[in-house]
Structures are given as structure tokens and as C-alpha cells.
Amino acid sequence: MDSLFKKFSLWIAAVLLMVAAGATPTTAAADSGWNVKLVSAQLVENEHVGNEWYFKASVNGKEVKEDGSVTLKNVSSINLYAYAEEQDKVPDRSEAKKTVKVSTLTKKTQLVEMKVTVTENRGRYSGNQAVWKFTFQISKK
């Protein structure tokens, strides 16, 4: 009887260890998350499109200011959005969207750049373009 009890106890201990070992990564993954920071939004090229600008960015629908960040948990993808608008009587505007699958992020911290090209729609500079570069930093928490 003593031998049967020892075998049963060892079997229970082994099952509990397997359950604990299997549950730890799942719990850790659920508790971990991503920090997404808007590192910069820069006007890198401007062929007479305008001098007054408005821009905005968001991460998974949450607006983020320059040098600000958003924390995400339990997501399979990160949706980045960038928008730039030249401010005049008839504004010129453009946007860019990018989806980053979390499974493709191989480094603890990665930079993602997006370009937004705004085209002048009127006047003697019609057709000229301005280019904005938005840089996001995605970090594993």
C-alpha cells in the first residue's frame, strides 16, 4: 500500500510540475505588453507646399503626442496611424497606416518609420509635395 501511495504522489507531483511549467509562459505573456512611443514627427521635405502644419498620430486608435507613448496589452497586432495637414484656406492633407503583427517583432525594441506625402492642390505650386516622417518605437514590456 505504501508503494502505491508513493507512486500516486510522484505522479501527482509530476502532473503539477507540468501544469505549473506550462502555465508560467502563458501567464507571463498575458501580463507582458508593448510600449509604443512616437519618437518624432518631422517635415523632411517641403517643395513650397506650406509653412503652417498640423499633424497627429495614433496607436491602436489611441492618440499619441510626439515623445508620448501608449501601452498595449494582449494584442496580436499594432495599428499605427500618421496624419499631416498643411493649414491654409484649402488645406492639403494625407495619411498613412501600417499594421505590425506582434509575432513579427524579433527585437526587444524596434523602430518603425512611416512617410506621409502631402501634395499641393492649388496655385502655382500645384503638384509639389511635402514629406513627413513619423518614427515609432515599439518596445516589449
Side-chain angles (χ1 to χ4, degrees):
M1 184 79 162
D2 219 7
S3 175
L4 183 61
F5 180 75
K6 281 185 179 179
K7 286 181 183 178
F8 182 72
S9 296
L10 288 173
W11 181 81
I12 292 292
V15 169
L16 288 174
L17 281 173
M18 285 189 282
V19 168
T24 303
T26 305
T27 305
D31 292 341
S32 67
W34 299 91
N35 188 56
V36 185
K37 178 180 179 180
L38 177 59
V39 177
S40 65
Q42 299 174 304
L43 180 61
V44 294
E45 186 179 322
N46 188 357
E47 298 179 276
H48 302 287
V49 176
N51 294 320
E52 295 180 32
W53 292 90
Y54 166 77
F55 67 88
K56 68 179 179 179
S58 67
V59 177
N60 283 24
K62 298 175 184 174
E63 191 167 338
V64 61
K65 301 287 184 192
E66 194 169 15
D67 213 28
S69 64
V70 171
T71 300
L72 304 171
K73 288 190 176 198
N74 301 321
V75 295
S76 59
S77 61
I78 299 171
N79 300 305
L80 304 175
Y81 174 79
Y83 175 87
E85 180 179 291
E86 177 253 343
Q87 306 276 281
D88 66 8
K89 291 178 187 173
V90 182
D92 304 311
R93 59 181 69 96
S94 188
E95 64 185 6
K97 298 175 184 178
K98 183 179 266 188
T99 299
V100 179
K101 291 187 179 197
V102 169
S103 61
T104 65
L105 297 172
T106 58
K107 299 177 186 172
K108 185 174 169 103
T109 300
Q110 277 185 230
L111 293 179
V112 176
E113 292 182 352
M114 296 172 60
K115 289 195 177 180
V116 176
T117 302
V118 180
T119 304
E120 178 64 47
N121 61 12
R122 293 182 165 220
R124 69 180 182 182
Y125 298 114
S126 183
N128 285 11
Q129 296 182 326
V131 178
W132 281 79
K133 181 173 82 170
F134 289 75
T135 304
F136 294 88
Q137 177 181 294
I138 302 174
S139 304
K140 182 90 170 137
K141 287 193 73 88

